[in-house]
Amino acid sequence: MAVIQNKVAYYEAKQRYIIDNANKTFCRKFERGTEVCHWLWNAENDEFWGRNEFVQSLCGALHSYGKLTEGQYKAVCKIIDKQAARQAEWDAKREAKKAQEAASSNHVGVVGDRMQFELKVVAVIEYDKPKFHYHDSSVGHITIMEDEAGNKVVYMNILSEKTKDEHGYEDWVPAEKGDTVLFMAKVKEHGVRDGAKQTIVQRPTKIVVIKGE
């Protein structure tokens, strides 16, 4: 007869084996068992569901026993279905808004012309770009702006106003989401993205950044 050297480790392994088998049986028994388990495992650390006592109690039951009761299983299915329906509603509203914006969007200015802009910054996007030299940060930026009519204007970099600090040294104030920017720039291109017309500008000068509230 084999002697158990580490009884604690043995019984812990045995318990895990029992729980794993119970989980496999649960997933076979209930049509959406695997889906329910995956949802609960994700919900355990979710920002919203992680604070829900009922859901967290079900996560604890799944960890402790490897299964749920039929009532608990049905409750999770109901939560999943409600969440999916709510997400579908949000997606439909988002798509409708995008379609409305696309239908009403227009290009700004004439390609090749240099003109004055007064725009609201709606997003500054960071992306990875190739690093061409040692001092290159390898981080690119795209500044997305809108005029009063909601027409989009895009600059493939950060817009910054050149100023001086309290000691008289050169300083820069970058435009961020919510800021208003005034500048001169050349209209480089008229394009379309996600069905909405957008205007690409280049070589901005005389930049003024008015910080949003």
Side-chain angles (χ1 to χ4, degrees), residues 64-83:
S64 299
Y65 309 112
K67 60 183 180 179
L68 302 176
T69 66
E70 184 174 355
Q72 291 171 330
Y73 162 80
K74 288 180 178 179
V76 177
C77 288
K78 190 174 181 179
I79 292 172
I80 294 172
D81 292 341
K82 279 188 175 181
Q83 191 175 22

Side-chain angles (χ1 to χ4, degrees), residues 54-212:
F54 175 66
V55 168
Q56 290 306 303
S57 70
L58 297 182
C59 291
L62 193 60
H63 279 301
S64 299
Y65 309 112
K67 60 183 180 179
L68 302 176
T69 66
E70 184 174 355
Q72 291 171 330
Y73 162 80
K74 288 180 178 179
V76 177
C77 288
K78 190 174 181 179
I79 292 172
I80 294 172
D81 292 341
K82 279 188 175 181
Q83 191 175 22
R86 190 160 52 244
Q87 185 63 51
E89 183 180 353
W90 289 341
D91 290 343
K93 287 181 179 178
R94 190 182 304 112
E95 289 303 314
K97 183 180 178 182
K98 284 172 62 177
Q100 184 180 12
E101 289 176 350
S104 61
S105 66
N106 287 297
H107 290 129
V108 178
V110 177
V111 175
D113 283 2
R114 192 167 184 81
M115 59 181 288
Q116 175 75 39
F117 291 91
E118 180 176 345
L119 306 166
K120 182 76 170 288
V121 178
V122 295
V124 178
I125 301 170
E126 285 191 359
Y127 67 94
D128 295 328
K129 69 174 184 178
K131 190 170 184 176
F132 295 108
H133 53 78
Y134 180 77
H135 297 290
D136 196 334
S137 67
S138 74
V139 177
H141 295 86
I142 302 173
T143 303
I144 303 174
M145 302 158 281
E146 289 183 354
D147 63 14
E148 291 184 346
N151 300 314
K152 283 187 169 53
V153 177
V154 178
Y155 175 54
M156 305 300 288
N157 208 327
I158 291 179
L159 283 164
S160 296
E161 179 183 354
K162 184 178 179 180
T163 61
K164 289 185 178 181
D165 64 18
E166 57 184 2
H167 303 292
Y169 294 108
E170 186 178 280
D171 196 11
W172 296 88
V173 178
E176 301 172 315
K177 182 178 179 180
D179 293 347
T180 298
V181 287
L182 292 79
F183 59 92
M184 293 287 297
K186 181 181 178 180
V187 178
K188 177 185 177 183
E189 177 187 332
H190 285 160
V192 177
R193 184 175 178 82
D194 296 330
K197 295 175 182 176
Q198 65 177 20
T199 300
I200 312 294
V201 297
Q202 64 179 168
R203 296 196 292 275
T205 59
K206 301 178 182 178
I207 301 167
V208 176
V209 177
I210 303 171
K211 286 297 178 181

Side-chain angles (χ1 to χ4, degrees), residues 19-20 22-24 26-27 37 61-68:
I19 292 172
D20 287 345
N23 186 252
K24 290 175 184 176
F26 172 77
C27 291
C37 289
L62 193 60
H63 279 301
S64 299
Y65 309 112
K67 60 183 180 179
L68 302 176

